[in-house]
Amino acid sequence: MFTLDRAMAAWLLKPGHRAIYVIALAVMVSCSIQTSVMAAEMPLTHNNQVQQPALTGEDIIMESLRRHELYPYVYEEQSLILMDAKQHRDVRRMKRYSRLEPGGTFKAMLTFTYPESIAGAALLFTRQQDGERKKRFYLPALGTHLIEYTGGVAGSQMLGSEFSLEDLMPEDMDAFEYHRMKDVIDGDNAYFVVQAISKRDKTNVRRSYAERKLLIRQDNFFVTHVDYLDQKGALVKRQTRHDIHQVNGEMWRADMMMAENFLNHHRSILKVDRRVYSSDYVPEFIFDISSFVPATSQPAAESSDPNPEVAEEAP
Amino acid sequence: MNRILMFGLHHRLLLLLVLTVLTALAATGMQHLHIDTGTENMVAKGSAKMQIYESVVEEFGSDNQTLIFTRDPSLWTTDKLHALKALHVRLASLESVQRVEDIFTLRNLRGKQDAVSSKLLMDHIPENQKEVDQLKENVLYNPLVKGNLVSAEGNALAMIVTVQPAAMKTLGHAGVYEAIQQAIEPSAEHFERLFQIGSPRIQMEMESTLFTDMRTLAPLSAAVILLVILLFMRSTAAGFIPLVTAGISLIWTMGMMGWAGIPVNILSAMLPTLIIVIGSTEDTHLIGSYLDARRAYPDQEPEFCVRKMLRKMGLPLLLTISTTVLGFAGNIFSSMELIRDFAIASSFAMLANGLVTILLVPALLVMMGSSKKSGQPATEGGFLSRLVLKLNQKSNLSIQRLLLGATLLLCAFFLFEASKLYVTNDPMSYFKQDRPLIRDASEVNQYLAGIKTFFISVQSDKEEAFLQPRNLRKLEELADFIGKQGVFDRTVSLVDYLKLMNREFHAGDPQWYQLPANKELVSQYLLFMHRQELQRYVSHDYRRGVIVVRHHISDSNMLNRNIDELRQVAQEIAGAELQVDIVGENLMINEEADTLLHAQVESLMIFLGIIFLLMSAMFTSFKGGLIAMVPSVIPIILMFGVMGLLGIPLNPGTAMVAVIAIGIAIDSTIHMLSSYNKHSRMMGDSVQAAQQTVREEALPMITTSVALSLGFGILLASDFAIIGQFGALAAATMLFALFANLIVTPLIMSRVRLVGLYDILALSVDKESLSGCQLFHEMSDYQIRKAMLISEVNDYSEGAKIIEQGCLDRSMYLLIKGEVDVIRHSQDGDEIIARLKPGEVFGEIAFVREIRRTADVCAVNSVSVLRFDCERLKRDLRFFPHIVAKLNFNISYILGERLANTFKD
């Protein structure tokens, strides 16, 4: 060793050799750093292991749907807070009923309960298994009939809020192509990033955005974050989900969603005040027009508290 | 005062050093100069209306948008629609653009039985003509679009571009205009007409026109001044000295504006021309006087002649500089920032020019005027002067009466024409009518609603007031009234959206094109509208509803009249519960027109009052002040009459002509009256004095008036209509003032005798000869001079009879030079009663009371006397009772002494 050190020292003392030594050292350090970075960026599983690259974007979305969105009967009492650019607020309260039929038909109904001037107004949404959709409105002041509402721009503002109808319904996988992008780590959590682009030829629906980027937690496949981008790749809207908690088994839910529009600087917040997973709360007949006139039917177990606390009943 | 005037002469080197330093300092301020052609400075800030307007804009958005106008006979074809779409995409992708509203972004609502379709007016471009025609029908079906975004025939349409507020600050108007222009240029070949119009373009054109004016007008006016002066004065120095003083004044003015943060606006574009033109008049007077002195004293050094010049011209120069500055400063208290900034800059410029003239011109003349050949002016007066002299020489009553009568009639006629004067303050009227901007605006107005906007804000103190149909009906009534007025183009409010929705939710039945019947239905319809669609027309809490009105009216008078009517009706419709305000930037600018008129009258009255007091002080009598007003008032009447006759409106440019032009024209009046005073004292004959005055003053007056007229006339070359109008009117006013000064004033002043303050101050009283003069016992120097200058100086040769025994005469005489004998004629022969010496008084008895002279008074040798006419003394000293009292007392004393001596004898 001593001889080796002396030889090395003698080598270093020669002109030009010192520079070679420094360069070699720099290369070694650089390689170490690169390796560390690459290691850090490697996707991890919820067990902090590097993610299997096998899952595609479509797989991830499918898994997310399977775990969280396909419960057949969900009843929610919601507060919708609309904020404009000057922070002025409007509050609306609604009840949401959703049913997923065994044949694959999805039905949802939103009924307004507050303010008084719009109480009783309802939106009825149906999506058949073949993708056919129908939106119908009931306006109590207009008369005792449903009005079919067609056209519009998919993904655009609904009911005066920054939420689109798609935001409030389960993901329609037939309408989009999904591409998995590079995973990210934010804080303690790792996320899948999936790009969703509209399948125009299939749906022929014009959208207010060009693509979405969904951030999905890798540990529970829950969508926490959706960015809406325009043709130039600029961010036009962002939807985030908060107060996330495990309901049962693999199913998670968020009690608050926020949508922020970066063009008009408006924000909308949807808070779930109460959620019930029960067919008793979402009977079949609730989607019939007869239940709208003169007022929407209420399940017997309803609370009349104008300010309900979050009370969730597990399925 | 002499020290100030002689300073430049005595300290040439120091003066040049100081001027160089000051000019260099001022030049550094020029880098801080900024341009402001914004319309905000055409409105009085801080007013109640401005506050309401700002609150409305904050709540509902700005009324300033840019419109992209397209017209083509075959607009509704697939190719053209593709071109429009490409244009829309390019505009929307601009970073400076916040939003584009057009047929590609607006939603259409169509209803049929139990179904409503809401989709973009044009979410895709049809590929066959049948679909295109259907599309056109859909577009024109929407009442919010037809006539608003698309013309009634469908051959013209607009894209309304809202610019990012931040982009206006970073890029400026020109930058935003250029960005939009680059986006629309590729599409120009596809359409018959394609252009942008709006605030960025208007501001950009104002700025570019301003620069063009500053580049071209100043050199033109300099060339004109140089030519005129060389032609009349025939002196190279006379031609270049005014340009030197103007150049220095201009640098000082621009430097001051830079340091003080006073922006360059469209009015200040004419500053260089004004400085050159107006500043040259004082230089011309000085140089003219210098050249006179050179001719009178050809063997003397230039310095001697300069001193003569300063003694003669000093005080008049100071007075004329003051009146000119006052003329410009008369607008400093205007509520309009545009006029106020110009007034500050221009009055500073005139002051600076005056200072530089007083200090530098004497020094320059000494340095440049050493040549014996110092200029030979054109023959005395030329044709014009000879004509004027002829008119004055034929001083018979009929000609004079004819001239004065004709002048009065002319003034009466023009006063009548002046009653037709109208006021306008619309920024579009600042441009000439043949300008592309104006033509484009007219084209937009022809096919679509006008580009000008104002708001009718209706406010309640209750929340959700405008969810109530009864309040919405009031908005509807207002809109209907506006439709009946027939002067405004379009109104849009929440009412229109609700009526459209009500119709379509009832399957498109036209009978349902009415307001929903109850608040619930209104609220439920509004579920289909987003806040950003509503925020232009109703506040977030529905307390305040707004009607957006579009129009194309450029006549402030017409606009203000209709707005006044609308205000009255609006409040009647709204009732006591609701507060109505009608606001808009364009509205406030036009309403300033009324302020303009009042301010013009006010500043003119104040200025004329100041001139009256100044002239009265100068001539120590109100009579002098009134006479000095005549050549000021006549041009004003003629000027306003011409405006009324030719339909030239009163605007920020023409509003200033009167005070500025009079401030300049009064200079000639001052020179004329001073000269007349001097001659009337020496000649003793007012008519001859008037003629001599005209003979002396005609040439400089004509020279300066012609130079000023031509100089102001250069402003006609401006691309701004208001600058051209200012120039034309100012030029005409100079000529009117020349007419008044040369024709009317001599006729009036030949009938009066004025004593100038200057004369009083300048009169050198020989104290020795008057020491012990009883007539002036215990009178101050001023009082003695005043009394003396009321008199006439008469000279008599040896043996001449001054007073004749037996004649009736009310004059008293004071012997100044020589000796006289008092000789009484009687049957016993002639008796020399007394021999009087200088300082003694004679003829005082007849002065006191009218009696026949009791003796002759004859000159022993060459004699000079002061003759005091009783009536004239009483008249002219009416407002000087102290002087009259002392004179009377002293006359009494003299009489008493004579009486005592008689008894003693």
Side-chain angles (χ1 to χ4, degrees), chain B residues 132-185:
Chain B
V132 170
D133 292 338
Q134 179 60 46
L135 174 66
K136 180 182 172 183
E137 193 257 321
N138 282 343
V139 166
L140 293 177
Y141 173 78
N142 190 322
L144 293 167
V145 173
K146 185 177 173 182
N148 197 18
L149 284 180
V150 179
S151 66
E153 305 305 318
N155 57 350
L157 65 79
M159 296 177 174
I160 298 180
V161 177
T162 305
V163 178
Q164 301 271 13
M168 290 299 268
K169 285 181 186 160
T170 48
L171 295 176
H173 296 288
V176 168
Y177 170 82
E178 279 308 319
I180 295 175
Q181 196 61 22
Q182 278 177 21
I184 70 177
E185 254 159 30

Side-chain angles (χ1 to χ4, degrees), chain A residues 86 117 148 150 152 162 264, chain B residues 58 114 116 118 523-524 530 532:
Chain A
K86 292 193 181 82
S117 55
E148 189 170 336
T150 58
E162 295 306 322
N264 61 21
Chain B
E58 204 198 323
D114 292 339
V116 166
S118 166
S523 303
Q524 288 163 30
H530 192 275
Q532 73 188 39

Side-chain angles (χ1 to χ4, degrees), chain A residues 86 88 92 117 137 139-142 145 147-152 157 159-162 206 232 264 266, chain B residues 58 93 107 114-118 120 123 505-506 520-521 523-525 527-532 535 540:
Chain A
K86 292 193 181 82
H88 297 131
R92 293 172 187 165
S117 55
F137 277 94
L139 303 180
L142 192 59
H145 55 278
I147 295 172
E148 189 170 336
Y149 192 75
T150 58
Q157 301 142 336
L159 297 176
S161 75
E162 295 306 322
R206 194 188 174 282
K232 289 185 282 184
N264 61 21
H266 288 210
Chain B
E58 204 198 323
S93 65
R107 276 199 302 150
D114 292 339
V116 166
S117 165
S118 166
L120 289 176
D123 59 355
F505 273 83
H506 286 92
E520 285 72 27
L521 191 52
S523 303
Q524 288 163 30
Y525 279 153
L527 281 174
F528 294 89
M529 290 188 74
H530 192 275
R531 182 73 206 126
Q532 73 188 39
Q535 68 187 19
H540 71 282

Side-chain angles (χ1 to χ4, degrees), chain B residues 49 481 485 488 557-570 582 591 594:
Chain B
K49 275 184 193 157
F481 174 76
Q485 266 189 314
F488 303 116
N557 206 25
M558 182 183 173
L559 180 64
N560 291 340
R561 206 172 51 240
N562 283 288
I563 292 292
D564 285 341
E565 185 189 24
L566 181 57
R567 268 204 183 99
Q568 209 177 336
V569 170
I582 302 182
E591 281 167 357
D594 283 342

Side-chain angles (χ1 to χ4, degrees), chain B residues 638-887:
Chain B
L638 296 181
M639 185 203 82
F640 282 126
V642 162
M643 286 174 75
L645 193 64
L646 298 178
I648 298 173
L650 200 65
N651 57 39
T654 57
M656 298 184 298
V657 173
V659 278
I660 291 170
I662 296 317
I664 300 162
I666 198 75
D667 299 356
S668 296
T669 311
I670 291 171
H671 285 297
M672 206 152 176
L673 289 176
S674 300
S675 180
Y676 168 72
N677 255 3
K678 183 184 79 183
H679 291 305
S680 61
R681 275 183 42 246
M682 282 166 28
M683 291 174 167
D685 183 312
S686 57
V687 174
Q688 282 185 15
Q691 287 174 10
Q692 183 58 26
T693 301
V694 170
R695 198 174 288 118
E696 266 185 21
E697 296 297 327
L699 174 62
M701 210 179 297
I702 292 168
T703 308
T704 54
S705 296
V706 168
L708 283 167
S709 288
L710 288 174
F712 280 127
I714 292 292
L715 293 175
L716 280 163
S718 169
D719 275 338
F720 283 121
I722 58 169
I723 304 288
Q725 287 162 353
F726 173 88
L729 285 173
T733 309
M734 293 297 106
L735 297 175
F736 294 150
L738 179 66
F739 162 76
N741 274 318
L742 281 185
I743 307 296
V744 178
T745 308
L747 293 175
I748 298 173
M749 70 187 181
S750 62
R751 283 165 170 71
V752 300
R753 175 71 193 281
L754 296 172
V755 178
L757 183 62
Y758 174 68
D759 300 316
I760 292 175
L761 296 174
L763 179 67
S764 59
V765 176
D766 184 352
K767 287 192 177 170
E768 289 205 18
S769 68
L770 293 177
S771 65
C773 174
Q774 189 56 48
L775 185 63
F776 299 134
H777 184 61
E778 287 188 355
M779 284 172 73
S780 67
D781 266 355
Y782 171 82
Q783 289 173 329
I784 294 171
R785 287 171 203 246
K786 179 73 177 173
M788 285 174 67
L789 288 167
I790 294 291
S791 66
E792 282 177 16
V793 175
N794 294 143
D795 296 320
Y796 297 92
S797 54
E798 182 184 340
K801 196 177 283 184
I802 301 168
I803 291 178
E804 188 170 349
Q805 182 175 334
C807 287
L808 269 178
D809 183 11
R810 293 299 305 272
S811 299
M812 176 177 66
Y813 298 83
L814 170 66
L815 189 58
I816 300 174
K817 190 182 84 170
E819 291 177 329
V820 298
D821 281 337
V822 181
I823 305 166
R824 184 179 293 147
H825 303 290
S826 65
Q827 288 175 343
D828 299 330
D830 296 342
E831 183 192 351
I832 297 177
I833 298 171
R835 176 162 284 191
L836 303 177
K837 292 185 174 29
E840 293 193 80
V841 172
F842 56 94
E844 69 280 4
I845 297 174
F847 183 85
V848 173
R849 64 183 291 263
E850 189 177 14
I851 58 165
R852 296 191 181 276
R853 298 290 188 184
T854 56
D856 283 353
V857 176
C858 298
V860 174
N861 44 34
S862 182
V863 152
S864 286
V865 295
L866 286 178
R867 187 173 74 89
F868 293 90
D869 180 76
C870 175
E871 293 306 319
R872 180 174 282 174
L873 205 75
K874 273 189 211 167
R875 197 174 53 239
D876 291 350
L877 290 181
R878 189 168 61 243
F879 296 109
F880 299 89
H882 295 297
I883 299 176
V884 171
K886 284 201 174 167
L887 278 174

